[in-house]
Amino acid sequence: MKIRVIAAFVLFIFMSCSSKNEETIVFWISGFKPVCDMGAGNTNCLFISKTDNLQQENWELFYSAIEGFEFEEGFLKKVKVLVTAQDDAVAADQSAMRYTLVKELDKTEDSRVLLARDWELESMADQTLQTNHPTPSLTFNLSGMQINGNAGCNTYTGNIKELGLERITFDNLLNTLRICEAQSVEDSYFSAIHEVKSFKVKNDKLYLLDKDGTLKLTFTQMTKTKHRIRINDIWAAVRIEGYPINRMVTVPGLEVNTTEMKIYGNDGCNDYFGTVKDLTETAFTIENIGPTRKMCPDMEIPERYKQALLKVRTYTFNERILILNDDNGNEVLAFMKVD
């Protein structure tokens, strides 16, 4: 009898310790992965909501891996996960908790993934745009939780502050400061986008609404990338960081090949090549730039040009001038088309 009591007591202690060291939780996982900082560098993390009702979702980054879970882009998944406390001897860059998939409870399409397209403005409120005005555009980067575009004259960038299945807000909107002919159109556009609180995507159209559900902006999905066709050309630099290039020196050149997603050119001394990492109606980033290694009598222009290329994030056109801008929308390089 005494042995049975002792055995039962040991079993009770074991079960008590076990219940303290593990638990099961249920949450939703989004159909896209935002960029997150893991300490040792940026990566893409899961985006989760711990609310059972998706109409009241509250999304946050999830920095750990879930054993047995298979991420599918474009699909929301509701999962039950076993959370187990790790041993004390855990590496500094590892989580103190271990997450293991118990069961996938539900799966549905994630409507937010439909945002990740190039959009062209069709109307503001119920007013159709005048055809003689430049058309504003909008592009979503869900991974970076950012937007960028052209307001009809000035380029702009911003952050996606909040992104639910219907809710959306923006902040830190920055734009270039050129004087525009259709300034009233651009002012109305920026005013409207600041008021946006929700969205709907239906039949290749994007509707952005305010807090009262009033339609503010209507966009149509771009069926072809007009700017991508136009940027596919050979260009000669005319300005670096806003300063005109002295025509007495060798002028840097740029060739953009959108079919191969490559760039080629000469920085004023050395030939170079690179890879186009991102190219939409407004976004343009370059990586893996490789130059030859000649030394020329004057390396000032080549060095300034190379540094400027690395800062390029967006682009726009001003008549025949191609303008490349940095993260803040500031001009870093300007080119003229080579006929």
Side-chain angles (χ1 to χ4, degrees):
M1 181 68 180
K2 186 175 181 181
I3 295 175
R4 289 181 181 178
V5 171
I6 293 173
F9 179 73
V10 170
L11 179 61
F12 172 77
I13 295 296
F14 174 79
M15 292 178 65
S16 299
C17 292
S18 177
S19 63
K20 291 180 179 178
N21 289 336
E22 63 182 32
E23 64 173 331
T24 56
I25 57 176
V26 175
F27 52 83
W28 286 91
I29 299 176
S30 78
F32 66 95
K33 292 182 177 182
V35 170
C36 58
D37 185 358
M38 295 290 284
N42 289 341
T43 186
N44 291 86
C45 286
L46 295 176
F47 206 34
I48 72 166
S49 176
K50 296 177 182 177
T51 53
D52 185 62
N53 184 353
L54 282 178
Q55 297 303 314
Q56 301 173 344
E57 84 274 40
N58 183 21
W59 296 91
E60 59 187 85
L61 291 169
F62 187 78
Y63 293 89
S64 300
I66 302 174
E67 295 181 16
F69 173 72
E70 181 179 351
F71 171 78
E72 286 187 68
E73 186 172 1
F75 288 94
L76 289 161
K77 289 187 176 184
K78 186 178 184 181
V79 296
K80 178 184 286 187
V81 174
L82 177 66
V83 186
T84 308
Q86 299 268 43
D87 295 334
D88 293 337
V90 176
D93 60 346
Q94 290 183 333
S95 170
M97 310 304 292
R98 178 181 178 182
Y99 299 88
T100 306
L101 179 68
V102 175
K103 187 178 181 181
E104 186 176 304
L105 302 174
D106 199 356
K107 176 181 175 180
T108 186
E109 291 186 356
D110 191 336
S111 60
R112 294 169 295 185
V113 176
L114 298 176
L115 291 170
R117 303 173 179 176
D118 296 323
W119 301 95
E120 188 173 46
L121 187 65
E122 180 181 288
S123 62
M124 285 190 281
D126 56 355
Q127 184 177 0
T128 304
L129 293 182
Q130 298 291 330
T131 55
N132 60 333
H133 289 157
T135 305
S137 63
L138 172 63
T139 298
F140 287 82
N141 176 355
L142 297 185
S143 176
M145 292 293 280
Q146 294 177 322
I147 59 169
N148 61 71
N150 189 298
C153 173
N154 284 286
T155 58
Y156 66 92
T157 61
N159 295 331
I160 302 173
K161 180 181 179 181
E162 180 184 32
L163 182 56
L165 299 184
E166 294 182 356
R167 295 176 289 113
I168 189 168
T169 57
F170 310 112
D171 68 357
N172 296 327
L173 291 172
L174 301 172
N175 59 276
T176 53
L177 299 173
R178 292 191 297 273
I179 303 299
C180 310
E181 292 183 10
Q183 190 65 51
S184 61
V185 174
E186 184 161 291
D187 291 344
S188 297
Y189 178 77
F190 281 131
S191 176
I193 209 164
H194 276 97
E195 296 180 39
V196 169
K197 300 297 181 184
S198 65
F199 75 95
K200 294 179 182 178
V201 180
K202 185 177 181 180
N203 298 330
D204 295 327
K205 289 196 176 185
L206 167 64
Y207 304 93
L208 298 181
L209 306 95
D210 66 13
K211 63 181 181 179
D212 299 318
T214 303
L215 180 63
K216 304 299 293 186
L217 299 166
T218 301
F219 294 84
T220 302
Q221 183 185 356
M222 293 183 182
T223 55
K224 63 177 182 179
T225 49
K226 301 172 184 176
H227 282 177
R228 283 186 61 167
I229 294 172
R230 189 175 176 187
I231 199 175
N232 185 84
D233 217 319
I234 300 175
W235 306 88
V238 292
R239 293 192 297 269
I240 301 177
E241 304 283 0
Y243 294 97
I245 296 174
N246 185 348
R247 291 295 173 176
M248 300 301 291
V249 302
T250 302
V251 176
L254 170 68
E255 178 182 354
V256 181
N257 187 321
T258 58
T259 302
E260 299 178 356
M261 294 294 278
K262 301 286 187 183
I263 62 164
Y264 308 91
N266 185 283
D267 61 17
C269 175
N270 285 282
D271 294 331
Y272 67 89
F273 58 89
T275 303
V276 178
K277 179 183 178 183
D278 189 21
L279 179 59
T280 68
E281 285 298 290
T282 54
F284 182 48
T285 56
I286 306 163
E287 63 181 2
N288 302 325
I289 299 175
T292 54
R293 298 181 180 275
K294 290 189 300 182
M295 289 299 295
C296 300
D298 187 352
M299 294 296 292
E300 179 189 356
I301 294 296
E303 288 297 330
R304 287 172 53 203
Y305 178 80
K306 285 188 294 184
Q307 292 302 314
L309 268 183
L310 295 172
K311 298 177 184 178
V312 173
R313 295 295 181 271
T314 62
Y315 72 107
T316 188
F317 293 95
N318 183 3
E319 296 182 353
R320 296 185 64 201
I321 303 295
L322 166 64
I323 299 172
L324 305 183
N325 307 298
D326 64 14
D327 270 328
N328 298 319
N330 300 314
E331 178 186 307
V332 292
L333 289 168
F335 296 85
M336 181 171 288
K337 185 177 180 298
V338 176
D339 294 321

